Amino acid sequence: MVSVYNTIDTGHEDLIHDAEMDYYGLRLATCSSDHSVKIYNIRNGTQNIIADLKGHYGPVWQVAWAHPKFGNLLASCSYDRKVIIWKESGEWSKLYEFSNHDSSVNSIAWAPHEYGLILACGSSDGTISILYHSSDSSSWESKKIMNAHTIGCNTVSWCPALSPIPAFDVNTSSRANPVKRLVSGGCDNLVKIWKEEGDRWVEEKKLELHTDWVRDVAWAPSIGLPKSVIASCSQDRRVVIWTSDDTINWTPTTLHTFDDVIWNVSWSLTGNILSVSGGDNKVSLWRENNEGQWVCISEVTKGQGQISNETRAL
Protein backbone atom coordinates (compact mmCIF):
# COMPACT_ATOMS: atom_id res chain seq x y z
CA MET A 1 0.00 0.00 0.00
CA VAL A 2 1.20 3.50 -0.82
CA SER A 3 0.27 6.73 0.92
CA VAL A 4 1.42 10.32 0.45
CA TYR A 5 4.13 10.95 3.04
CA ASN A 6 4.78 14.62 2.38
CA THR A 7 3.88 17.40 -0.04
CA ILE A 8 6.53 20.00 -0.80
CA ASP A 9 5.92 23.51 -2.09
CA THR A 10 8.96 23.97 -4.32
CA GLY A 11 8.41 27.58 -5.24
CA HIS A 12 9.20 26.82 -8.89
CA GLU A 13 7.57 29.24 -11.32
CA ASP A 14 6.92 26.70 -14.09
CA LEU A 15 6.56 22.96 -14.72
CA ILE A 16 8.70 20.62 -12.59
CA HIS A 17 10.38 17.98 -14.76
CA ASP A 18 12.28 15.92 -12.20
CA ALA A 19 12.59 15.39 -8.45
CA GLU A 20 15.33 13.21 -6.95
CA MET A 21 16.12 12.22 -3.36
CA ASP A 22 19.76 11.97 -2.33
CA TYR A 23 21.41 8.74 -1.15
CA TYR A 24 20.30 9.20 2.46
CA GLY A 25 16.78 10.43 1.68
CA LEU A 26 17.38 13.70 3.53
CA ARG A 27 17.64 16.08 0.60
CA LEU A 28 15.47 16.64 -2.45
CA ALA A 29 16.62 18.19 -5.74
CA THR A 30 14.10 19.50 -8.27
CA CYS A 31 14.38 21.12 -11.71
CA SER A 32 11.95 23.09 -13.80
CA SER A 33 11.13 24.94 -16.99
CA ASP A 34 11.88 28.09 -14.99
CA HIS A 35 15.58 27.28 -15.72
CA SER A 36 16.41 26.60 -12.07
CA VAL A 37 17.56 23.71 -9.89
CA LYS A 38 16.53 23.75 -6.24
CA ILE A 39 17.70 21.72 -3.26
CA TYR A 40 15.75 21.23 -0.03
CA ASN A 41 16.41 19.70 3.34
CA ILE A 42 13.46 17.44 4.17
CA ARG A 43 13.33 16.01 7.67
CA ASN A 44 10.51 15.05 9.99
CA GLY A 45 7.88 16.21 7.53
CA THR A 46 9.37 19.69 7.25
CA GLN A 47 11.23 21.36 4.41
CA ASN A 48 13.57 24.26 3.86
CA ILE A 49 15.33 25.36 0.71
CA ILE A 50 19.12 25.36 0.94
CA ALA A 51 20.06 26.20 -2.66
CA ASP A 52 18.53 27.83 -5.73
CA LEU A 53 20.97 27.10 -8.53
CA LYS A 54 21.05 29.31 -11.60
CA GLY A 55 23.21 28.41 -14.56
CA HIS A 56 20.95 27.00 -17.25
CA TYR A 57 19.25 29.13 -19.91
CA GLY A 58 16.43 26.76 -20.83
CA PRO A 59 14.14 24.20 -19.25
CA VAL A 60 16.06 21.80 -16.99
CA TRP A 61 14.95 18.25 -17.70
CA GLN A 62 16.71 16.10 -15.14
CA VAL A 63 18.87 16.07 -12.02
CA ALA A 64 21.02 13.24 -10.63
CA TRP A 65 22.86 12.84 -7.31
CA ALA A 66 26.32 11.29 -7.31
CA HIS A 67 27.23 8.69 -4.69
CA PRO A 68 28.17 10.42 -1.39
CA LYS A 69 31.67 8.87 -1.44
CA PHE A 70 32.47 11.64 -3.96
CA GLY A 71 31.04 14.41 -1.75
CA ASN A 72 27.80 16.31 -2.31
CA LEU A 73 27.57 16.44 -6.11
CA LEU A 74 24.49 17.02 -8.25
CA ALA A 75 24.31 16.95 -12.05
CA SER A 76 21.65 18.69 -14.18
CA CYS A 77 20.88 18.72 -17.91
CA SER A 78 18.89 21.15 -19.98
CA TYR A 79 17.36 22.19 -23.27
CA ASP A 80 20.20 24.73 -23.44
CA ARG A 81 22.49 21.82 -24.52
CA LYS A 82 24.50 21.95 -21.30
CA VAL A 83 25.27 19.57 -18.47
CA ILE A 84 26.26 21.21 -15.19
CA ILE A 85 27.81 19.46 -12.21
CA TRP A 86 27.21 21.29 -8.93
CA LYS A 87 29.22 20.79 -5.72
CA GLU A 88 28.54 21.74 -2.13
CA SER A 89 31.60 23.23 -0.45
CA GLY A 90 29.99 25.25 2.27
CA GLU A 91 27.69 26.66 -0.40
CA TRP A 92 26.55 25.09 -3.66
CA SER A 93 28.42 26.24 -6.76
CA LYS A 94 29.21 25.12 -10.30
CA LEU A 95 32.02 22.56 -10.42
CA TYR A 96 32.02 21.72 -14.13
CA GLU A 97 30.07 22.59 -17.26
CA PHE A 98 29.90 20.37 -20.34
CA SER A 99 28.59 22.04 -23.49
CA ASN A 100 29.64 19.73 -26.30
CA HIS A 101 26.17 18.73 -27.52
CA ASP A 102 24.41 20.26 -30.50
CA SER A 103 20.89 19.96 -29.11
CA SER A 104 18.93 19.47 -25.89
CA VAL A 105 20.48 17.13 -23.30
CA ASN A 106 17.52 15.04 -22.14
CA SER A 107 18.92 12.54 -19.68
CA ILE A 108 21.84 12.04 -17.29
CA ALA A 109 22.86 9.10 -15.09
CA TRP A 110 25.82 8.51 -12.79
CA ALA A 111 27.63 5.21 -13.20
CA PRO A 112 27.83 2.77 -10.27
CA HIS A 113 30.28 4.27 -7.77
CA GLU A 114 32.59 1.25 -8.10
CA TYR A 115 33.64 2.59 -11.52
CA GLY A 116 34.57 6.04 -10.25
CA LEU A 117 32.96 9.38 -11.00
CA ILE A 118 31.41 8.83 -14.46
CA LEU A 119 28.32 10.48 -15.96
CA ALA A 120 26.35 9.41 -19.05
CA CYS A 121 24.41 12.06 -20.99
CA GLY A 122 21.81 11.44 -23.72
CA SER A 123 20.97 14.19 -26.20
CA SER A 124 18.49 15.10 -28.95
CA ASP A 125 21.47 15.36 -31.29
CA GLY A 126 21.45 11.55 -31.32
CA THR A 127 24.65 11.07 -29.35
CA ILE A 128 25.54 9.86 -25.85
CA SER A 129 28.44 11.45 -23.98
CA ILE A 130 30.34 9.68 -21.20
CA LEU A 131 32.10 12.10 -18.81
CA TYR A 132 35.01 10.74 -16.75
CA HIS A 133 36.56 12.51 -13.77
CA SER A 134 40.26 12.01 -13.12
CA SER A 135 41.00 12.18 -9.40
CA ASP A 136 44.71 12.62 -10.14
CA SER A 137 44.36 15.76 -12.23
CA SER A 138 40.90 16.86 -10.98
CA SER A 139 39.89 17.24 -14.62
CA TRP A 140 37.08 15.88 -16.77
CA GLU A 141 37.38 13.96 -20.02
CA SER A 142 34.63 12.85 -22.38
CA LYS A 143 33.93 10.11 -24.89
CA LYS A 144 31.03 10.24 -27.30
CA ILE A 145 28.86 7.53 -28.83
CA MET A 146 28.00 8.96 -32.22
CA ASN A 147 24.64 8.22 -33.88
CA ALA A 148 23.40 6.31 -30.84
CA HIS A 149 19.77 7.02 -31.79
CA THR A 150 18.51 8.65 -34.96
CA ILE A 151 16.43 11.77 -34.26
CA GLY A 152 17.48 11.75 -30.61
CA CYS A 153 18.31 9.94 -27.36
CA ASN A 154 15.75 10.35 -24.58
CA THR A 155 17.09 8.29 -21.71
CA VAL A 156 20.14 6.46 -20.31
CA SER A 157 20.59 4.01 -17.42
CA TRP A 158 23.60 2.02 -16.13
CA CYS A 159 23.97 -1.70 -15.60
CA PRO A 160 24.84 -2.57 -11.97
CA ALA A 161 28.58 -2.86 -11.41
CA LEU A 162 28.50 -6.38 -10.03
CA SER A 163 26.47 -8.62 -12.28
CA PRO A 164 24.78 -11.53 -10.48
CA ILE A 165 26.88 -14.69 -10.47
CA PRO A 166 25.59 -18.09 -9.30
CA ALA A 167 26.87 -19.08 -5.85
CA PHE A 168 28.80 -22.11 -7.12
CA ASP A 169 30.38 -20.45 -10.15
CA VAL A 170 34.13 -20.86 -9.70
CA ASN A 171 34.94 -18.43 -12.52
CA THR A 172 35.29 -15.10 -10.75
CA SER A 173 37.28 -13.31 -13.45
CA SER A 174 34.22 -11.42 -14.67
CA ARG A 175 33.71 -10.10 -11.15
CA ALA A 176 37.33 -8.94 -10.95
CA ASN A 177 37.05 -7.03 -14.25
CA PRO A 178 33.40 -6.10 -14.74
CA VAL A 179 32.37 -4.74 -18.12
CA LYS A 180 30.78 -1.29 -18.06
CA ARG A 181 27.37 -1.35 -19.71
CA LEU A 182 24.51 1.08 -20.12
CA VAL A 183 21.11 1.04 -21.78
CA SER A 184 19.53 3.86 -23.77
CA GLY A 185 16.20 4.64 -25.42
CA GLY A 186 15.41 6.98 -28.26
CA CYS A 187 13.13 8.53 -30.84
CA ASP A 188 13.89 5.64 -33.21
CA ASN A 189 11.63 3.43 -31.01
CA LEU A 190 14.69 1.39 -29.99
CA VAL A 191 16.27 0.27 -26.75
CA LYS A 192 20.03 -0.23 -27.10
CA ILE A 193 22.65 -1.78 -24.85
CA TRP A 194 26.20 -0.42 -24.98
CA LYS A 195 29.43 -1.74 -23.51
CA GLU A 196 32.87 -0.28 -23.10
CA GLU A 197 35.60 -1.94 -25.14
CA GLY A 198 39.01 -0.43 -24.54
CA ASP A 199 38.76 3.28 -25.16
CA ARG A 200 35.45 3.20 -27.01
CA TRP A 201 31.81 2.27 -26.53
CA VAL A 202 30.15 -0.22 -28.87
CA GLU A 203 26.57 -1.31 -29.43
CA GLU A 204 26.10 -4.75 -27.88
CA LYS A 205 22.39 -5.31 -28.53
CA LYS A 206 19.42 -3.62 -30.16
CA LEU A 207 16.04 -4.37 -28.55
CA GLU A 208 13.07 -3.88 -30.86
CA LEU A 209 9.44 -4.03 -29.73
CA HIS A 210 8.17 -0.52 -29.07
CA THR A 211 6.26 1.20 -31.86
CA ASP A 212 6.78 4.81 -30.75
CA TRP A 213 9.42 6.91 -28.98
CA VAL A 214 11.04 5.24 -25.99
CA ARG A 215 10.74 7.70 -23.13
CA ASP A 216 12.54 5.97 -20.27
CA VAL A 217 14.67 2.92 -19.50
CA ALA A 218 15.76 1.55 -16.12
CA TRP A 219 18.24 -1.26 -15.47
CA ALA A 220 17.17 -3.09 -12.32
CA PRO A 221 19.55 -3.33 -9.33
CA SER A 222 21.24 -6.68 -8.87
CA ILE A 223 19.57 -8.77 -6.14
CA GLY A 224 21.65 -11.90 -6.45
CA LEU A 225 19.68 -13.65 -9.18
CA PRO A 226 21.65 -14.80 -12.23
CA LYS A 227 19.81 -12.56 -14.70
CA SER A 228 19.64 -8.96 -15.84
CA VAL A 229 16.36 -7.03 -16.01
CA ILE A 230 15.57 -3.80 -17.87
CA ALA A 231 12.28 -1.88 -17.92
CA SER A 232 11.38 0.42 -20.83
CA CYS A 233 8.38 2.65 -21.46
CA SER A 234 7.14 4.41 -24.54
CA GLN A 235 4.66 6.72 -26.15
CA ASP A 236 3.06 3.53 -27.47
CA ARG A 237 1.57 3.30 -23.92
CA ARG A 238 3.42 0.09 -23.11
CA VAL A 239 5.90 -0.89 -20.42
CA VAL A 240 8.17 -3.77 -21.43
CA ILE A 241 10.31 -5.91 -19.12
CA TRP A 242 13.43 -7.32 -20.79
CA THR A 243 15.26 -10.23 -19.12
CA SER A 244 18.56 -11.90 -19.99
CA ASP A 245 20.95 -14.45 -18.51
CA ASP A 246 23.93 -13.33 -20.60
CA THR A 247 23.18 -9.67 -21.65
CA ILE A 248 23.11 -10.92 -25.27
CA ASN A 249 19.80 -12.76 -25.60
CA TRP A 250 16.89 -10.76 -24.20
CA THR A 251 13.29 -11.89 -23.69
CA PRO A 252 10.58 -9.18 -23.68
CA THR A 253 7.40 -9.30 -21.61
CA THR A 254 4.75 -6.59 -21.91
CA LEU A 255 3.97 -5.57 -18.35
CA HIS A 256 0.82 -3.65 -19.32
CA THR A 257 -0.67 -1.46 -22.03
CA PHE A 258 -1.85 1.74 -20.36
CA ASP A 259 -4.48 4.32 -21.31
CA ASP A 260 -1.97 7.11 -21.92
CA VAL A 261 1.68 7.83 -22.70
CA ILE A 262 4.13 6.44 -20.12
CA TRP A 263 6.93 8.84 -19.22
CA ASN A 264 8.88 7.19 -16.42
CA VAL A 265 9.85 3.82 -14.95
CA SER A 266 11.88 3.36 -11.77
CA TRP A 267 12.94 0.31 -9.74
CA SER A 268 12.91 -0.09 -5.99
CA LEU A 269 16.30 -0.52 -4.32
CA THR A 270 15.78 -4.28 -4.18
CA GLY A 271 14.81 -4.43 -7.86
CA ASN A 272 11.54 -6.34 -7.32
CA ILE A 273 9.02 -3.46 -7.53
CA LEU A 274 8.65 -1.15 -10.52
CA SER A 275 6.99 2.26 -10.36
CA VAL A 276 5.31 3.57 -13.50
CA SER A 277 4.05 7.10 -14.18
CA GLY A 278 2.48 8.64 -17.26
CA GLY A 279 0.12 11.06 -18.88
CA ASP A 280 -2.87 9.81 -16.89
CA ASN A 281 -1.48 11.51 -13.73
CA LYS A 282 -1.15 8.17 -11.97
CA VAL A 283 1.78 6.44 -10.29
CA SER A 284 1.40 2.67 -10.08
CA LEU A 285 3.57 -0.01 -8.47
CA TRP A 286 4.04 -3.40 -10.11
CA ARG A 287 5.51 -6.70 -8.94
CA GLU A 288 6.02 -10.07 -10.60
CA ASN A 289 4.06 -12.88 -8.93
CA ASN A 290 5.01 -16.55 -8.59
CA GLU A 291 3.36 -17.34 -11.94
CA GLY A 292 5.55 -14.82 -13.76
CA GLN A 293 2.71 -12.32 -14.20
CA TRP A 294 3.21 -8.64 -13.45
CA VAL A 295 0.45 -7.35 -11.18
CA CYS A 296 -0.41 -3.84 -10.02
CA ILE A 297 -0.08 -3.80 -6.24
CA SER A 298 -0.84 -0.12 -5.66
CA GLU A 299 -1.87 3.05 -7.45
CA VAL A 300 -1.81 6.72 -6.51
CA THR A 301 -3.96 9.14 -8.52
CA LYS A 302 -3.01 12.79 -8.97
CA GLY A 303 -0.95 12.85 -5.78
CA GLN A 304 -4.00 12.33 -3.58
CA GLY A 305 -2.92 9.01 -2.12
CA GLN A 306 -5.86 7.11 -3.55
CA ILE A 307 -5.09 3.41 -3.44
CA SER A 308 -6.67 1.20 -6.05
CA ASN A 309 -8.42 -1.88 -4.67
CA GLU A 310 -8.01 -3.57 -8.02
CA THR A 311 -5.14 -5.89 -8.67
CA ARG A 312 -4.52 -5.99 -12.39
CA ALA A 313 -2.75 -8.87 -14.04
CA LEU A 314 -1.82 -9.53 -17.63
Side-chain angles (χ1 to χ4, degrees):
M1 178 177 289
V2 171
S3 59
V4 175
Y5 173 71
N6 194 8
T7 300
I8 295 173
D9 181 5
T10 65
H12 280 296
E13 298 174 357
D14 209 329
L15 292 174
I16 298 171
H17 296 292
D18 195 19
E20 297 286 339
M21 303 287 291
D22 73 352
Y23 181 85
Y24 299 109
L26 300 176
R27 288 180 171 181
L28 174 72
T30 61
C31 60
S32 166
S33 281
D34 66 9
H35 304 182
S36 72
V37 174
K38 297 188 179 187
I39 303 173
Y40 312 82
N41 272 330
I42 47 172
R43 304 188 186 201
N44 304 319
T46 64
Q47 69 186 65
N48 65 288
I49 187 167
I50 57 175
D52 187 356
L53 306 177
K54 308 285 189 182
H56 287 292
Y57 297 95
V60 186
W61 303 129
Q62 203 169 61
V63 288
W65 292 95
H67 191 278
K69 70 180 287 186
F70 303 110
N72 290 328
L73 295 179
L74 181 74
S76 58
C77 64
S78 169
Y79 180 78
D80 65 7
R81 303 178 293 178
K82 293 192 298 185
V83 175
I84 297 178
I85 298 172
W86 311 87
K87 180 179 178 65
E88 183 183 37
S89 300
E91 294 184 354
W92 284 88
S93 60
K94 187 187 298 184
L95 174 68
Y96 177 71
E97 181 177 301
F98 181 73
S99 55
N100 197 25
H101 280 286
D102 298 325
S103 191
S104 171
V105 182
N106 303 318
S107 180
I108 46 175
W110 291 103
H113 66 87
E114 293 91 342
Y115 295 145
L117 198 55
I118 304 175
L119 185 71
C121 318
S123 171
S124 289
D125 64 14
T127 69
I128 298 172
S129 291
I130 315 292
L131 310 183
Y132 300 80
H133 180 258
S134 170
S135 56
D136 295 332
S137 61
S138 295
S139 62
W140 292 84
E141 298 178 356
S142 67
K143 296 177 183 177
K144 187 169 282 192
I145 303 173
M146 302 301 295
N147 303 313
H149 291 275
T150 56
I151 311 176
C153 177
N154 296 323
T155 174
V156 290
S157 177
W158 288 86
C159 172
L162 299 179
S163 299
I165 294 178
F168 300 103
D169 188 349
V170 296
N171 181 12
T172 59
S173 60
S174 59
R175 208 179 262 283
N177 298 292
V179 176
K180 296 184 185 73
R181 286 184 172 88
L182 59 84
V183 59
S184 62
C187 301
D188 51 9
N189 309 347
L190 296 175
V191 174
K192 292 186 178 183
I193 296 171
W194 308 87
K195 71 174 181 178
E196 188 180 46
E197 284 190 353
D199 62 351
R200 65 194 185 103
W201 285 81
V202 298
E203 181 182 313
E204 184 174 41
K205 192 67 176 178
K206 183 186 300 180
L207 306 180
E208 301 180 71
L209 187 64
H210 288 294
T211 57
D212 207 334
W213 289 13
V214 177
R215 281 299 182 179
D216 200 16
V217 291
W219 204 309
S222 169
I223 55 173
L225 298 176
K227 69 175 182 178
S228 296
V229 181
I230 294 172
S232 62
C233 66
S234 166
Q235 288 187 203
D236 65 11
R237 301 181 291 116
R238 288 185 295 173
V239 172
V240 176
I241 307 297
W242 308 84
T243 57
S244 174
D245 295 326
D246 56 8
T247 70
I248 300 298
N249 301 295
W250 292 82
T251 301
T253 300
T254 300
L255 177 142
H256 189 68
T257 301
F258 292 81
D259 297 329
D260 210 327
V261 173
I262 300 300
W263 298 107
N264 181 262
V265 285
S266 180
W267 292 100
S268 63
L269 291 177
T270 52
N272 64 333
I273 296 176
L274 182 72
S275 69
V276 178
S277 61
D280 58 3
N281 290 324
K282 294 179 182 178
V283 178
S284 56
L285 302 182
W286 297 77
R287 182 168 57 198
E288 189 178 19
N289 65 17
N290 294 333
E291 288 74 43
Q293 294 178 311
W294 285 86
V295 296
C296 181
I297 59 174
S298 190
E299 188 174 88
V300 179
T301 304
K302 296 184 179 178
Q304 298 304 309
Q306 300 170 6
I307 307 303
S308 172
N309 292 323
E310 276 184 55
T311 299
R312 289 179 295 179
L314 292 175

